[in-house]
Amino acid sequence: MGDTALEAVLRRDRAVVMAALVVIAVLAWAYVLWLAATMVMPGSPLPDSGGGDMAGMDMGAAMAPGFRPWALGDFAFTFTMWAVMMVGMMTPSVAPMLLLYAGVGRKARADGRPIASTGWFFAGYLAVWVVFSLLATGAQWLLARLALLDPSMATGSAILGGLVLIAAGLYQWTPMKGVCLRQCQAPIAFLAGHGGFRSAPLGALRLGIDHGAYCLGCCWALMALLFVGGVMNVLWIAGIAILVLLEKTVPTGQLIPRVSGALMAAIGIWIVFQAL
């Protein structure tokens, strides 16, 4: 295969992967937007009990289950919400890594040394965020049980919200944040430090889990801010997703997390002092 033909194939493969990532992200965001637009908040007028909109009533109850005990369906529904939301928020930021993987994968196959599919790596990455979604669901259940969530699924305590902002802001300055962020910002360095690409699917899956773990270490504190601005506040979700994307893709080193961390901590301190 000539160089020109090979380059065309590489571009095509990357285009296919990018198209798939766009579709996945769009579908996830469409679900989040639909959920935010259709859920019924407790305390608001409920649909006519004689009609067929019981699904809306159930959704409203599940989205703010602090107003009644959680059932198993509420937990499953909330877990699904978190998992889909994480897919929508995190897929754009992992796109550079996946595009690199797809390009190298095509070249490796052309050279007769195939590596495992990009899908295996992506599945490992998403598995980490699915586990995080389970933990986030548990945190939401606990906050709801303690009556610390308002109908918008934001913390009803100004002091607690301020403390979360302060903690998230301080974490942005920690060495752990820096180590994890560097792994996310430099896909080639990550691969070089973890033995390169894998030929076996399970190896690629584990590699994706490793990358997802660094991503989680980088972003978990930012995700905790969803409980400050509202778990279903679409603008708040989008703002956090954009911050995550900028941190990982804009070549400013630690500047963005440190500036954002200082702002978070300052706002959190102001909120706490206002509430005292």
Side-chain angles (χ1 to χ4, degrees):
M1 182 181 294
D3 289 343
T4 302
L6 177 58
E7 289 173 2
V9 172
L10 289 173
R11 285 195 298 270
R12 185 199 65 193
D13 272 22
R14 287 192 289 266
V16 170
V17 171
M18 178 57 77
L21 294 177
V22 169
V23 169
I24 291 170
V26 167
L27 290 176
W29 275 100
Y31 175 79
V32 171
L33 291 170
W34 170 78
L35 207 57
T38 58
M39 69 181 183
V40 179
M41 293 295 184
S44 62
L46 292 176
D48 184 356
S49 59
D53 201 16
M54 291 300 293
M57 296 174 65
D58 293 340
M59 185 182 299
M63 295 306 295
F67 292 84
R68 66 168 175 79
W70 280 37
L72 180 60
D74 296 328
F75 195 93
F77 182 87
T78 306
F79 166 70
T80 301
M81 174 201 73
W82 274 98
V84 175
M85 185 163 59
M86 290 303 102
V87 171
M89 294 177 73
M90 302 312 300
T91 295
S93 68
V94 78
M97 180 73 203
L98 295 177
L99 292 173
L100 171 66
Y101 193 106
V104 172
R106 166 56 74 172
K107 189 174 188 306
R109 287 193 297 274
D111 293 341
R113 300 188 304 272
I115 62 175
S117 167
T118 309
W120 285 105
F121 180 91
F122 191 36
Y125 178 85
L126 291 182
V128 173
W129 287 103
V130 169
V131 173
F132 171 80
S133 299
L134 186 62
L135 297 175
T137 302
Q140 184 172 333
W141 169 83
L142 179 60
L143 290 171
R145 187 173 180 84
L146 296 175
L148 292 175
L149 291 181
D150 65 18
S152 68
M153 287 170 294
T155 176
S157 167
I159 292 178
L160 178 58
L163 290 176
V164 173
L165 274 167
I166 293 170
L170 292 178
Y171 184 77
Q172 294 284 85
W173 285 75
T174 61
M176 181 176 291
K177 168 76 179 193
V179 169
C180 293
L181 181 58
R182 283 192 292 273
Q183 294 292 325
C184 295
Q185 289 175 328
I188 295 177
F190 165 79
L191 289 166
H194 289 77
F197 296 93
R198 305 290 196 273
S199 58
L202 289 182
L205 186 71
R206 286 193 295 269
L207 189 64
I209 291 173
D210 288 343
H211 190 66
Y214 281 115
C215 186
L216 178 60
C218 176
C219 302
W220 70 268
L222 296 178
M223 297 307 166
L225 295 179
L226 289 168
F227 290 116
V228 177
V231 176
M232 274 288 98
N233 182 331
V234 174
L235 291 178
W236 191 252
I237 297 170
I240 294 174
I242 290 171
L243 177 58
V244 168
L245 182 62
L246 291 176
E247 283 187 354
K248 293 185 177 184
T249 59
V250 177
T252 59
Q254 302 294 315
L255 179 62
I256 292 176
R258 290 184 175 177
V259 171
S260 63
L263 289 174
M264 291 173 204
I267 293 170
I269 291 171
W270 179 81
I271 291 173
V272 170
F273 274 100
Q274 288 292 312
L276 293 176

